[in-house]
Amino acid sequence: MARETASEGGRHHPHYVAVWAVLVALLVVGIVATTLGRRVLGAVLVFGVAALKALLVAVYFMHVGQEPRLVRIVLYGGLALVVIVILGLVPDIVYVYGD
């Protein structure tokens, strides 16, 4: 049985191993960001990396990129709201747990 890269609709499957490698690299960036001496920069980096990883998982592993436009708008809009709320909470987190 030969492995095919195209699905029934003619679309190509993403390279899951490459996406996984990017997710692992972003994990390392997040871990390194926590060891920085600056808590504000570390918190912003960790939350930014988490949002990027969530976007990659949604697009490639949950196949959101292949959904109709309205579904993508709703999902990306929800993700944008989560990022806005998290970034809005960074000052409180740093104020309570900061230096």
Side-chain angles (χ1 to χ4, degrees):
M1 222 171 19
R3 293 182 67 185
E4 295 182 16
T5 58
S7 65
E8 296 171 4
R11 295 183 178 141
H12 294 284
H13 291 289
H15 300 282
Y16 292 115
V17 175
V19 175
W20 173 79
V22 170
L23 289 171
V24 170
L26 289 172
L27 172 69
V28 171
V29 168
I31 292 171
V32 169
T34 60
T35 63
L36 296 175
R38 299 184 173 162
R39 292 185 184 251
V40 176
L41 178 63
V44 170
L45 281 175
V46 166
F47 287 130
V49 166
L52 183 59
K53 289 191 314 187
L55 181 66
L56 284 173
V57 168
V59 169
Y60 290 106
F61 293 111
M62 297 173 66
H63 306 289
V64 172
Q66 298 173 359
E67 293 295 328
R69 185 175 181 198
L70 181 61
V71 174
R72 288 184 299 194
I73 290 172
V74 169
L75 291 174
Y76 292 150
L79 182 62
L81 287 175
V82 168
V83 169
I84 290 169
V85 168
I86 288 174
L87 291 177
L89 292 175
V90 166
D92 289 334
I93 293 168
V94 172
Y95 176 72
V96 173
Y97 299 106
D99 294 324

